[in-house]
Amino acid sequence: GEAAAVDEILDAAFDASGEPFMCTALVKMLVRGKFVDKALDLHARMKQRGQMSGDIIMYSVLIKALVDEGRLDTALGLVEDMSVAGHKVDDIVLMHLLDGCRHTNNYKLGKKLFDSALADGMQLSEYTLITMLKLCGRCGLHEDAYNLLATWGETQQIKPSVIHFTCVMSGCLPTRNYDMAWATYELMLASRIRPDKTTLSTLLPAMVASQRWERVMELAIATAAIGEVGAGSSREALSSAMLQMRRAGQHDRAER
């Protein structure tokens, strides 16, 4: 079948050329073709020949493929091989590993990897930051996510954006930690970052659910101020908020 044909091609290519760059290219090709186990077999052959010189892109591609398949332990083994080959974990590889930790609810490992990168002075991308925030939210560690945003500028060049703050707010909602979601909103405002329609449509129903009407009013005013009342999700959230206010006897606020 197809797998057998791939094996024949790999055998011929590996025997004809043991060049590391050729094997590295084959590994990448196999991963793109969804033959992840074949790619791992080829990597194992490279190790047996003492060819641990695959580039970091090869390792990154393999690690992401394994994470996507839920094989975090195998991915971590490749990190060790990568180190032997003389490559350090970079921002992209770290992001893949953190995503794997999120899928397995392994906050302890994710925090260890993340803290190690920070201790090494690595400048992390906005994508790696949001992956770490998602890991915190997935594991219900909302205060850790809040503190990460509050202290991020002390060691990192990039500044958290509205997307990062909204991510933390959203992560608070499944556990109904509405106060932490609001605290994150206030931290965002204190950081001089304006909410967008996603922020407001995420937070408004949560404040309605917690019946914190003064907060609902503040969000309604913010929605009107940025001209998002006509946007679908924001309009629906406002309509629902007004209905809930009336049901709760908050007629004056609903009319405003």
Side-chain angles (χ1 to χ4, degrees), residues 4 25-26 28-29 31 45 74 78 92-93 118 123 130 136-137 148 150 155 166 176 183 194 196 213 239 242 244:
L26 284 171
K28 296 174 187 176
M29 180 187 70
V31 171
R45 294 191 196 185
T74 306
L78 283 177
I92 295 175
V93 171
L118 292 178
Q123 290 296 311
I130 204 164
C136 292
L148 186 57
T155 60
T166 303
R176 299 183 181 181
R194 294 179 60 185
D196 62 11
W213 305 118
S239 298
M242 287 188 291
Q244 294 300 323

Side-chain angles (χ1 to χ4, degrees), residues 190-236:
S191 303
R192 299 184 178 181
I193 297 174
R194 294 179 60 185
D196 62 11
K197 64 181 181 181
T198 302
T199 306
L200 297 169
S201 61
T202 296
L203 200 54
L204 189 53
M207 294 305 108
V208 170
S210 62
Q211 297 192 348
R212 298 299 297 268
W213 305 118
E214 71 284 357
R215 295 177 179 177
V216 172
M217 287 299 300
E218 183 174 336
L219 293 172
I221 292 169
T223 301
I226 63 174
E228 295 289 356
V229 177
S233 58
S234 297
R235 184 176 63 250
E236 292 172 6

Side-chain angles (χ1 to χ4, degrees), residues 30-137:
L30 288 167
V31 171
R32 293 189 184 99
K34 307 299 182 183
F35 294 101
V36 178
D37 285 327
K38 299 298 181 185
L40 288 174
D41 289 344
L42 182 55
H43 174 64
R45 294 191 196 185
M46 293 169 67
K47 287 174 62 176
Q48 290 173 357
R49 282 195 178 182
Q51 296 173 340
M52 295 296 291
S53 55
D55 61 28
I56 194 167
I57 298 176
M58 182 198 79
Y59 286 103
S60 179
V61 167
L62 264 175
I63 288 168
K64 182 181 187 307
L66 290 167
V67 165
D68 289 345
E69 292 185 354
R71 300 161 68 180
L72 180 59
D73 289 341
T74 306
L76 291 169
L78 283 177
V79 173
E80 296 180 8
D81 291 345
M82 191 174 73
S83 178
V84 172
H87 304 299
K88 292 184 177 180
V89 170
D90 66 3
D91 177 74
I92 295 175
V93 171
L94 176 61
M95 180 179 64
H96 296 329
L97 294 173
L98 290 176
D99 200 37
C101 292
R102 179 173 68 91
H103 289 305
T104 57
N105 294 323
N106 194 337
Y107 178 77
K108 183 177 180 180
L109 174 59
K111 185 73 163 56
K112 180 180 178 181
L113 293 168
F114 192 79
D115 287 348
S116 177
L118 292 178
D120 288 342
M122 188 185 299
Q123 290 296 311
L124 304 181
S125 69
E126 58 185 305
Y127 307 106
T128 298
L129 172 57
I130 204 164
T131 305
M132 185 63 191
L133 294 173
K134 287 180 178 180
L135 172 60
C136 292

Side-chain angles (χ1 to χ4, degrees), residues 116-170:
S116 177
L118 292 178
D120 288 342
M122 188 185 299
Q123 290 296 311
L124 304 181
S125 69
E126 58 185 305
Y127 307 106
T128 298
L129 172 57
I130 204 164
T131 305
M132 185 63 191
L133 294 173
K134 287 180 178 180
L135 172 60
C136 292
R138 180 70 172 267
C139 297
L141 297 166
H142 312 303
E143 188 171 350
D144 285 12
Y146 175 94
N147 291 333
L148 186 57
L149 286 177
T151 60
W152 190 247
E154 296 175 5
T155 60
Q156 296 292 304
Q157 295 176 358
I158 67 162
K159 302 296 183 183
S161 70
V162 64
I163 296 173
H164 297 98
F165 285 96
T166 303
C167 174
V168 175
M169 295 176 215
S170 179

